[in-house]
Amino acid sequence: MSSKSNLDFVDALRGIAAAHVALYHLRYLPNLMVPEFLRPLVEVGWSGVTLFFIVSAFTLSRSIELRKDQASSLRSYFVRRFFRIAPLFYVWLLIMSVWGRDGQPTVFVIALSALFGFNFFPGKEAGIVPASWTLGVEMVFYVLLPILLCVATTWARSLTLFMVTLVIAYFWQFEAHQIDPVPGSTFHQFSFLHHLPVFVL
């Protein structure tokens, strides 16, 4: 398979993921009735985010592998990741910090968002910018990816790493609910450790 067809395939998966997430959020629009035959598909629209995470991990791993012989490849990887996400996010962060619907957040909460660390703090995990919890998860993965790739150098080590992350995610769900026992809390659902096995997969 050519490099071009690989990229086309990845773009198709991104499109499917985006459509699924859009369908999921359409159900929140007032006066919009979801047809009954579409309801099972719409209700699992969160899986579009999971697909995004898988595609992201795949393309980044591939990109690092293709550039590993270049000088300063690790530094350029971090620079590319940061400037792909951060500039537009910071614009929205500024807008939401000044004109957000929940009033002006504290300096601490703004700093957490600017550093993509809100994911680790109960009650702050959703971020100031709507749906930015996904960026909080992705940015942590970007930082850890070079380390994960150093560990997963064979099939056996990769499988072991995956199994370890499954165990971590399993026990994390109980710990997360202890940390934030508030009914309806999204702390566990939006946490990096909850999604770590998806990236490693």
Side-chain angles (χ1 to χ4, degrees):
M1 187 178 288
S2 71
S3 173
K4 181 70 169 69
S5 61
N6 279 340
L7 293 175
D8 287 346
F9 178 71
V10 167
D11 288 341
L13 286 177
R14 285 192 180 114
I16 292 168
H20 211 176
V21 170
L23 271 176
Y24 180 73
H25 285 93
L26 280 176
R27 69 188 185 141
Y28 294 110
L29 291 177
N31 304 319
L32 180 67
M33 295 294 294
V34 177
E36 199 58 40
F37 73 93
L38 276 180
R39 192 170 296 279
L41 180 66
V42 171
E43 293 298 324
V44 294
W46 51 265
S47 62
V49 173
T50 303
L51 181 55
F52 266 126
F53 288 162
I54 291 172
V55 170
S56 178
F58 169 75
T59 55
L60 286 175
S61 300
R62 183 171 179 267
S63 174
I64 287 177
E65 182 66 23
L66 291 174
R67 292 185 169 96
K68 67 181 181 182
D69 296 328
Q70 297 177 4
S72 304
S73 60
L74 192 60
R75 184 180 63 189
S76 63
Y77 158 76
F78 284 119
V79 169
R80 282 195 313 275
R81 291 297 94 206
F82 181 81
F83 282 102
R84 185 179 180 113
I85 300 295
L88 182 58
F89 173 74
Y90 286 155
V91 169
W92 275 108
L93 179 59
L94 176 63
I95 292 170
M96 295 305 297
S97 296
V98 176
W99 295 290
R101 62 177 178 266
D102 297 326
Q104 291 185 331
T106 65
V107 172
F108 174 71
V109 172
I110 294 172
L112 274 183
S113 283
L115 297 172
F116 298 96
F118 48 91
N119 185 282
F120 296 99
F121 291 82
K124 311 287 188 281
E125 69 276 357
I128 297 172
V129 178
S132 61
W133 73 267
T134 58
L135 298 181
V137 171
E138 285 258 3
M139 289 302 251
V140 176
F141 172 68
Y142 293 162
V143 171
L144 293 181
L145 179 59
I147 299 169
L148 295 174
L149 290 177
C150 288
V151 174
T153 54
T154 66
W155 277 105
R157 295 182 71 175
S158 299
L159 183 58
T160 301
L161 177 63
F162 178 59
M163 297 306 291
V164 167
T165 61
L166 281 178
V167 171
I168 290 171
Y170 176 77
F171 285 105
W172 170 245
Q173 68 180 318
F174 303 111
E175 185 64 26
H177 290 304
Q178 289 290 323
I179 294 171
D180 191 5
V182 178
S185 166
T186 56
F187 180 57
H188 170 253
Q189 180 187 353
F190 290 174
S191 66
F192 172 74
L193 290 177
H194 173 63
H195 295 280
L196 179 58
V198 171
F199 286 109
V200 173
L201 175 68

